[in-house]
Amino acid sequence: KFDKFFEESIEKIAEIARDKNVNVVYFTPIPKWVRLNPGIDQLCKDGSQIEWFRATGNKNCATYSQIDKKVYESKATQTLDSLKRVEQSYPNFHVFPIHEFLCDSSKCPSHINGIRLYRDNTGHISIYAAKQYLSSGIRSFLIERNLIKKSNP
């Protein structure tokens, strides 16, 4: 079964890292759903470069959508549980809860304060969203886990 294979694979990574005295930071699954029509998604993903033969007036990469947080959690429960078990068993394996930064208590939106969180339908985080919403959280997480020193920029 996939979930057992996933957990065994993650555990093997944690074992190898432990044996080599290396820390691993693993992100929880990014909430995924179809945010944009696939054709529009491809244009947005390609960077929407202006080309003389491609009309750009009809695409809207800023279309808002969301998924209920309970739907995300039901899809990710087994993965989150597996990650928790591995994290509890291996002190060098750290799970960063990225979904907590991308979701509020009831939903996982495509935008926060008008900022597009995702670059495409496959769950790639936009650069602006990473800088605006994730970088300080990741830094705090790494400091809290003693993986970097507070004096690091």
Side-chain angles (χ1 to χ4, degrees), residues 5-123:
F5 176 76
F6 171 78
E7 188 168 346
E8 289 171 354
S9 298
I10 295 299
E11 193 164 0
K12 185 66 175 167
I13 290 168
E15 287 175 8
I16 292 169
R18 178 199 59 208
D19 294 346
K20 295 184 180 281
N21 199 27
V22 173
N23 287 299
V24 173
V25 176
Y26 197 96
F27 285 30
T28 57
I30 293 174
K32 289 171 73 173
W33 71 98
V34 176
R35 296 172 189 83
L36 298 169
N37 169 292
I40 300 295
D41 178 59
Q42 189 60 47
L43 286 174
C44 296
K45 193 178 346 182
D46 289 344
S48 307
Q49 294 179 2
I50 297 173
E51 297 167 330
W52 67 270
F53 57 86
R54 179 178 290 161
T56 58
N58 64 351
K59 70 174 176 40
N60 185 359
C61 300
T63 302
Y64 180 88
S65 64
Q66 66 186 39
I67 185 173
D68 187 284
K69 188 171 181 183
K70 290 179 183 173
V71 172
Y72 164 77
E73 289 171 342
S74 70
K75 289 180 178 182
T77 296
Q78 290 178 320
T79 302
L80 295 172
D81 290 346
S82 292
L83 290 171
K84 187 181 290 185
R85 281 191 293 274
V86 173
E87 184 177 39
Q88 290 170 345
S89 300
Y90 296 88
N92 65 307
F93 190 85
H94 309 272
V95 178
F96 179 75
I98 193 168
H99 64 284
E100 291 178 8
F101 292 85
L102 300 173
C103 303
D104 62 24
S105 61
S106 64
K107 66 186 177 306
C108 303
S110 61
H111 294 68
I112 295 177
N113 297 327
I115 304 301
R116 186 171 179 221
L117 299 178
Y118 302 94
R119 180 173 85 78
D120 54 29
N121 280 343
T122 56

Side-chain angles (χ1 to χ4, degrees), residues 126-139:
S126 72
I127 292 171
Y128 189 81
K131 288 179 182 178
Q132 187 74 17
Y133 297 108
L134 295 176
S135 62
S136 64
I138 293 170
R139 185 172 189 278

